[in-house]
Amino acid sequence: MNLLKCMLNIEYINVVILVCNKKRQDVINKMMNMMTQKNIPTSESESEQISTCPACQSNSLIEDIKTGEIICAKCGLVVQEKKYSLQQDWRAYSLQERQNRSRNGYALSNKIYDKGLSTTFNSGYDSKGKKLDPETRNMMTRLKKQDQRAKVNESWQRNLKIALSEMSRIANELHIPDHIHEKAAHIYRKILKEDLVRGRSIDGFVSAAIYAACRKEKIPRSISDIAEASCQSEHDIKYHYRLLVKELNFKPPVDRPTKFISSLSSKLNLNGQVEEHSMRILKEARNRRLVVGKNPRGVAAAVLYLACQEKGVKVTQSEVAREADTSEVTMRKRFKEYQPFL
Ligand SMILES: [Zn+2]
């Protein structure tokens, strides 16, 4: 009897151990799932995050928040360094304190080569605001110079620095809105990542990225506008834009004539009535299927010119065609198509 009990007990213990093992396996599986889930990219900014170790293909990566590194748990390779911490850098104990505090500095921006995250120091004064003695000041100035040089220590960073400052200049000159400038910088970063710039012109790609961002966000800036603001020829910008479209699989939305009408009418100093009338003509033309597949700039120029004629506003064909960045021949062709139904 005792022996039987003993055997049963052993059986029981075995079962318990089995259950325990199963539970442990479950827990391990769950943990592994959590770890891998953590590495699945969730947003655009996180899409650059790596989920497997490039050396041993293991996907158990550890995030070290303190040093900003991602380390492989299997082989110890540092997969990614300089990870940005998006946590707050202050503490608040009450609601009021929380409301009063905000993050210091500018938000992360693609427009700046280091995304606005590096720091610099003032070399002239000490921590109490006293002027440093000349010798120390000289040393601090030298250190500052070294610090600035050390920040851009790789060729792609240097490339980015040159490119983004040129991009800011062009964007300012063309009055390009901030979010489109940001988009253009994002596109340029992609170009750099795909290694398309090697052996080609930085300025060419900068102009192409700006044009691509404008196309994507549907704001009317022609290649000739951009060519005028940059030191590139139209031919060069077109070449780089074609490369960008092909290599990045970039799909800009189809241009519609409405996009150009208002900017064209303001360039020609026309009043709102003319613009409104031109929209009506465009609608009529669209109903008769005379717009599909035609150059949108040519269509915009033609309807605006027609509207001017109807309203008795004096503009020449060549003026309209030049401002619309299209040829007079194209404009006249559209114009002859639309004239009969007015
Ligand atoms: Zn590894």
Side-chain angles (χ1 to χ4, degrees), residues 35-67:
M35 279 166 109
T36 44
Q37 262 169 16
K38 220 179 185 182
N39 290 323
I40 291 170
T42 49
S43 70
E44 199 178 27
S45 63
E46 277 176 75
S47 63
E48 293 163 12
Q49 216 179 54
I50 307 141
S51 57
T52 51
C53 168
C56 67
Q57 309 304 328
S58 135
N59 54 6
S60 54
L61 302 177
I62 300 168
E63 245 185 272
D64 188 341
I65 298 166
K66 237 179 187 175
T67 55

Side-chain angles (χ1 to χ4, degrees), residues 89-106:
D89 50 2
W90 41 264
R91 278 185 295 174
Y93 299 102
S94 67
L95 184 68
Q96 203 180 2
E97 264 182 31
R98 193 161 294 148
Q99 281 168 346
N100 282 339
R101 300 209 173 187
S102 58
R103 199 165 237 288
N104 292 326
Y106 196 62

